[in-house]
Amino acid sequence: ALAIMQEVLGDAHLDTASPLLGLGDIYVGLESYDEAESFYRRAIVIVEGEIHSVNSAFVLHVLIKALCSAHHV
């Protein structure tokens, strides 16, 4: 699904951040923290580009918390 969204919408489209976050969560569950971090960081970059709205700021906050959980912070 992610590959299709990226192909249709582009790598930096805000709608691609959600599946990246989901993949990060899956890897955290598998205790594959480096892989989780990679997906979370990609999602953060996308959301940072769209930070002009309150919803995007909230999403960025959630992503950063998820990244911290991948590092057990």
Side-chain angles (χ1 to χ4, degrees):
L2 175 61
I4 293 170
M5 290 181 81
Q6 288 174 320
E7 184 177 323
V8 172
L9 302 173
D11 290 338
H13 194 279
L14 189 57
D15 287 345
T16 62
S18 180
L20 289 170
L21 179 58
L23 287 167
D25 291 345
I26 290 169
Y27 280 105
V28 166
L30 296 171
E31 298 182 1
S32 297
Y33 302 113
D34 289 340
E35 289 86 355
E37 179 180 357
S38 174
F39 285 108
Y40 289 146
R41 288 189 182 278
R42 288 171 56 192
I44 288 169
V45 168
I46 291 168
V47 174
E48 282 179 333
E50 298 291 328
I51 201 68
H52 58 271
S53 74
V54 173
N55 288 340
S56 295
F58 175 74
V59 170
L60 181 59
H61 172 76
V62 171
L63 290 171
I64 291 171
K65 285 181 67 174
L67 180 58
C68 290
S69 75
H71 285 281
H72 301 288
V73 174

